């Protein structure tokens, strides 16, 4: 039996929850070791199965969580860890919490503010039943509050990303000279849209050889469904802060000098091109956006002759602008955002999105790469897989589930806004000023995919015509009522109207045939 002093100490204990995407070692929670604090992390079916995830995504989240818990324990913190096969694990965050908090061991509970609406709602509902003190703390990760749209765009129904980006640049004093943008412009995007020439060699991405076979076997034994491929003996993604910092250093030293110029380029020669591949480390908070930006800025300042400014600005815009913008958009419109379907699209996702077995080389390359690496860069997602799904009228619910599952960096706050908003225009223009649709011409311009494709990029109708061409015009025609007044679309509708009626008929007929046979393309 414990004596009175021991009982009093137990009753003063606080339980603190750390979610799998909250692995911020520099959080103020961990600045000191508190003997009256216990941290808890959990691997649960609830989180591993709400969509079918890529196996590398599950592996890396579990591995990163285990490493983070071990690091906390090594520093002297008290940690409870629920592994996926643990007998006491009730496979739900709130169920496990209920058992712990109703045990009488803890006097208070604290958790970090979740980044996903469904998780926050679940925890709010759960904590509303508790009689003990509950604290909700900041993750101390992002550059702005998640409700920043309220003061950046007061009383406005639309949100211009450029305005938001400039606000953050000023707030964080990024790339400014006495309050004005360096080199007289805020945005150098026009210089960052080049196809990758044959003479430009691309370095192999930095990958690790994380041995995760034990976790892999546990995932299989737990009956967790997954998609994609994994070599559990050599998982290449960073699963701890040290590895994440190595990827950041590799990007700054090796990739940043050409990142901006070729950030939109797609090629069979490389699955990563010059992209940083830091999104997983950022989204589970192994790295902070500010330290990533500061590292890139420091590299440029040390050697501006090696790194042109447009390379740096393009990267800073992705981290300080787009990433933060998408988070604020998410919280400004959830939960309604998750059901938006501006075009009322209802088609199912073609079966080959799960295999890559399509004759369209651009789609086959992007999907097979995604299945193999759990990764594709933003233009592959936006202008290949996303573009086709939008042109084909796929239900955005299906598109969301695919993107959320297949990509290692996909957490709902950043995935759904990029997918349902930017890619599918299902939000009616909250995230984008126009639908991001294109014919084969754009893909041919920005990639080397079309040269080895069964379909011909320049052919618009008839056998062998690239499906993107006729589907593009079919999309514009069937959604004219909703799009014709969009200023950024008027030129394309003028082109459509000037076409000979027979040409328009042939385009619509070809598109209709493709839409009837999506799985066979």
């Amino acid at each position: 039996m414990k004596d009175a002093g021991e009982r009093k100490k137990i009753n003063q204990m606080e339980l603190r929850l750390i979610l799998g995407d909250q692995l911020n070692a520099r959080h103020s929670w961990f600045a000191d070791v508190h003997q009256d604090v216990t941290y808890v992390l959990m691997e649960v079916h609830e989180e591993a199965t709400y969509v079918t995830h890529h196996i590398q995504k599950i592996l890396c989240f579990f591995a990163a969580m285990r490493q983070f818990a071990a690091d906390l324990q090594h520093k002297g913190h008290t940690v409870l860890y629920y592994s996926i096969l643990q007998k006491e694990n009730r496979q739900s965050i709130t169920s496990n919490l209920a058992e712990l908090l109703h045990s009488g061991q803890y006097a208070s509970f604290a958790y970090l503010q979740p980044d996903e609406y469904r998780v926050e709602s679940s925890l709010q509902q759960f904590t509303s039943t508790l009689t003990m003190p509950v604290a909700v703390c900041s993750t101390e990760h992002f550059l702005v509050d998640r409700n920043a749209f309220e003061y950046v765009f007061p009383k406005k129904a639309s949100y211009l990303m450029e305005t938001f980006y400039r606000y953050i640049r000023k707030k964080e004093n990024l790339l400014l000279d006495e309050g004005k943008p360096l080199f007289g412009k805020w945005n150098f995007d026009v210089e960052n849209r080049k196809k990758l020439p044959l003479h430009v060699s691309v370095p192999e991405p930095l990958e690790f050889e994380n041995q995760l076979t034990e976790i892999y076997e546990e995932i299989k034994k737990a009956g967790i469904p997954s998609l994609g491929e994994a070599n559990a003996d050599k998982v290449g993604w960073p699963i701890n802060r040290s590895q994440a910092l190595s990827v950041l250093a590799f990007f700054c030293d090796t990739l940043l000098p050409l990142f901006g110029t070729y950030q939109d380029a797609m090629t069979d020669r490389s699955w990563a091109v010059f992209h940083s591949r830091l999104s997983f480390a950022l989204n589970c908070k192994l790295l902070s956006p500010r330290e990533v930006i500061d590292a890139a800025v420091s590299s440029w300042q040390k050697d501006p002759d090696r790194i042109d400014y447009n390379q740096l600005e393009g990267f800073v815009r992705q981290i300080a602008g787009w990433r933060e913008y998408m988070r604020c958009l998410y919280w400004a419109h959830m939960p309604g955002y998750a059901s938006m379907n501006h075009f009322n699209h209802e088609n199912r996702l073609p079966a080959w999105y799960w295999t890559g077995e399509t004759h369209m080389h651009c789609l086959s390359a992007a999907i097979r790469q995604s299945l193999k690496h759990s990764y594709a860069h933003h233009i592959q997602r936006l202008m290949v897989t996303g573009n086709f799904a939008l042109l084909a009228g796929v239900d955005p619910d299906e598109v969301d589930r695919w993107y959320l599952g297949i990509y290692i960096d996909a957490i709902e706050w950043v995935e759904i806004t990029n997918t349902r908003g930017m890619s599918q225009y299902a939000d009616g223009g909250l995230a984008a000023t126009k639908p991001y649709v294109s014919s084969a011409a754009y893909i041919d311009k920005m990639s080397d995919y079309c040269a080895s494709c069964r379909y011909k990029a320049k052919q618009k109708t008839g056998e062998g015509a690239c499906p993107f061409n006729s589907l593009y015009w079919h999309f514009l025609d069937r959604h004219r009522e909703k799009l014709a007044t969009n200023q950024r679309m008027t030129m394309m509708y003028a082109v459509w109207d000037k076409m000979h009626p027979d040409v328009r008929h042939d385009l619509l007929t070809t598109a209709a045939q493709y839409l009837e046979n999506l799985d066979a393309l």
Side-chain angles (χ1 to χ4, degrees):
M1 178 180 288
K2 300 183 188 306
D3 62 30
E6 288 177 314
R7 286 199 299 272
K8 181 179 180 181
K9 183 177 181 180
I10 289 174
N11 289 334
Q12 292 175 343
M13 290 286 289
E14 177 168 271
L15 184 69
R16 293 179 178 177
L17 173 67
I18 303 171
L19 299 172
D21 62 345
Q22 296 177 338
L23 310 182
N24 178 6
R26 302 197 300 177
H27 194 279
S28 58
W29 267 6
F30 314 124
D32 298 300
V33 174
H34 302 281
Q35 298 303 321
D36 57 351
V37 169
T38 296
Y39 296 99
V40 61
L41 294 89
M42 310 176 191
E43 302 167 4
V44 292
H45 271 263
E46 178 183 57
E47 292 301 301
T49 61
Y50 64 90
V51 294
T52 301
H53 296 285
H54 198 291
I55 183 60
Q56 290 184 44
K57 183 180 182 183
I58 305 171
L59 277 170
C60 288
F61 265 102
F62 283 10
M65 290 167 65
R66 293 184 186 192
Q67 179 74 65
F68 189 79
D71 290 344
L72 286 182
Q73 286 182 314
H74 180 72
K75 292 174 182 176
H77 299 284
T78 302
V79 180
L80 284 176
Y81 195 92
Y82 286 79
S83 60
I84 194 66
L85 292 179
Q86 189 171 319
K87 183 179 179 181
E88 297 80 9
N89 191 344
R90 301 175 69 178
Q91 303 302 337
S92 158
I93 292 173
T94 53
S95 294
N96 285 334
L97 288 174
E99 191 168 87
L100 287 168
L101 294 175
H102 294 153
S103 68
Q105 296 183 69
Y106 302 99
S108 60
F109 174 60
Y111 63 95
L112 300 175
Q113 187 179 57
D115 290 321
E116 291 189 304
Y117 181 87
R118 64 179 179 82
V119 179
E120 175 164 278
S121 297
S122 176
L123 285 171
Q124 285 179 340
Q125 183 177 359
F126 169 73
T127 54
S128 69
T129 67
L130 298 178
T131 56
M132 63 178 61
V134 175
V136 183
C137 305
S138 169
T139 59
E140 301 175 5
H141 174 79
F142 294 95
L143 299 177
V144 295
D145 182 84
R146 73 186 192 184
N147 299 315
F149 276 9
E150 294 178 5
Y151 46 85
V152 179
F153 304 105
K155 299 180 181 179
K156 290 186 179 180
S158 60
Y159 321 102
L160 188 64
M161 206 288 280
E162 185 67 21
T163 301
F164 186 78
Y165 173 52
R166 295 182 186 187
Y167 165 80
I168 291 186
R169 286 269 297 272
K170 292 176 181 177
K171 174 184 175 295
E172 296 292 312
N173 193 29
L174 292 172
L175 309 182
L176 300 180
D177 181 12
E178 296 183 352
K180 296 182 180 180
L182 294 178
F183 302 102
K185 291 196 304 183
W186 291 97
N187 191 316
F188 284 72
D189 192 42
V190 70
E191 299 179 32
N192 294 342
R193 300 173 182 171
K194 294 184 179 179
K195 186 173 183 173
L196 186 70
L198 286 174
H199 70 268
V200 174
S201 61
V202 182
E204 287 296 316
L206 174 62
E207 295 186 86
F208 303 96
E209 296 187 0
N210 292 308
Q211 221 279 0
L212 304 182
T213 50
E214 182 178 338
I215 300 177
Y216 181 74
E217 292 301 323
E218 291 181 31
I219 290 169
K220 288 201 299 182
K221 190 173 181 179
I224 296 173
S226 64
L227 60 91
E229 308 168 22
N231 179 354
D233 292 322
K234 290 174 55 176
V235 178
W237 291 96
I239 58 170
N240 55 52
R241 179 164 169 79
S242 175
Q243 290 182 348
L245 287 169
S246 294
V247 177
L248 174 58
F250 179 79
F251 170 71
C252 293
D253 295 341
T254 307
L255 305 176
L256 183 56
L258 290 176
F259 164 77
T261 302
Y262 302 117
Q263 67 175 325
D264 288 1
M266 299 174 286
T267 176
D268 281 324
R269 292 156 50 200
S270 171
W271 64 274
V273 200
F274 293 96
H275 289 269
S276 70
R277 295 172 54 253
L278 290 168
S279 50
F280 172 71
L282 275 165
N283 291 352
C284 65
K285 302 181 181 59
L286 292 171
L287 298 176
S288 75
R290 184 70 211 213
E291 73 178 318
V292 168
I293 292 168
D294 286 347
V297 171
S298 177
S299 291
W300 170 73
Q301 289 174 332
K302 290 176 182 175
D303 198 350
D305 293 330
R306 186 176 69 95
I307 304 172
D308 292 333
Y309 181 71
N310 67 291
Q311 319 290 350
L312 174 68
E313 189 278 320
F315 181 69
V316 170
R317 185 163 11 97
Q318 285 193 358
I319 306 299
W322 198 248
R323 185 172 183 267
E324 300 278 334
Y325 174 88
M326 285 303 191
R327 173 175 176 256
C328 292
L329 178 65
Y330 177 82
W331 285 105
H333 289 280
M334 284 296 284
Y337 201 90
S339 60
M340 290 182 176
N341 189 353
H342 182 66
F343 296 120
N344 298 313
H345 283 169
E346 297 180 340
N347 287 342
R348 64 178 181 82
L349 205 64
W352 40 260
Y353 266 73
W354 305 98
T355 65
E357 295 175 2
T358 170
H359 300 298
M360 289 177 283
H361 184 66
C362 61
L363 281 154
S364 177
I367 293 169
R368 289 178 189 274
Q369 171 185 315
S370 302
L371 292 168
K372 183 176 181 179
H373 298 287
S374 193
Y375 175 83
H377 72 66
H378 67 288
I379 295 300
Q380 291 173 304
R381 301 187 200 193
L382 178 66
M383 299 308 300
V384 179
T385 52
N387 184 11
F388 186 87
L390 180 54
L391 295 178
V394 175
D395 187 331
D397 285 349
E398 292 215 5
V399 185
D400 266 340
R401 283 192 291 269
W402 186 80
Y403 277 93
L404 187 57
I406 201 168
Y407 291 119
I408 193 166
D409 54 17
I411 301 174
E412 190 185 63
W413 67 268
V414 70
E415 175 277 323
I416 197 172
T417 43
N418 275 289
T419 300
R420 191 175 289 261
M422 185 70 174
S423 169
Q424 299 304 294
Y425 203 76
D427 63 3
L430 291 174
T433 55
K434 74 175 187 68
Y436 274 81
V437 289
S438 78
S439 65
Y442 175 84
I443 298 170
D444 194 22
K445 175 185 176 183
M446 295 307 303
S447 78
D448 54 19
Y449 295 149
C450 298
S452 56
C453 185
R454 169 185 290 192
Y455 297 102
K456 296 176 176 57
K458 291 182 169 53
Q459 186 176 330
K460 296 178 173 55
T461 60
E463 185 177 354
C466 177
F468 277 96
N469 292 327
S470 58
L471 290 176
Y472 174 78
W473 293 111
H474 191 281
F475 171 85
L476 292 188
D477 183 67
R478 71 179 185 267
H479 293 305
R480 182 164 194 150
E481 184 177 343
K482 291 185 176 180
L483 295 176
T485 57
N486 185 313
Q487 290 186 345
R488 297 191 66 190
M489 302 295 290
T490 54
M491 184 174 71
M492 298 315 298
Y493 278 108
V495 172
W496 176 244
D497 291 339
K498 290 178 182 178
M499 289 183 190
H500 191 280
D502 290 345
V503 174
R504 290 201 299 265
H505 175 269
D506 289 346
L507 284 165
L508 295 178
T509 299
T510 300
Q513 292 171 348
Y514 284 147
L515 289 170
E516 285 293 318
N517 298 279
L518 289 175
D519 283 343
L521 293 180

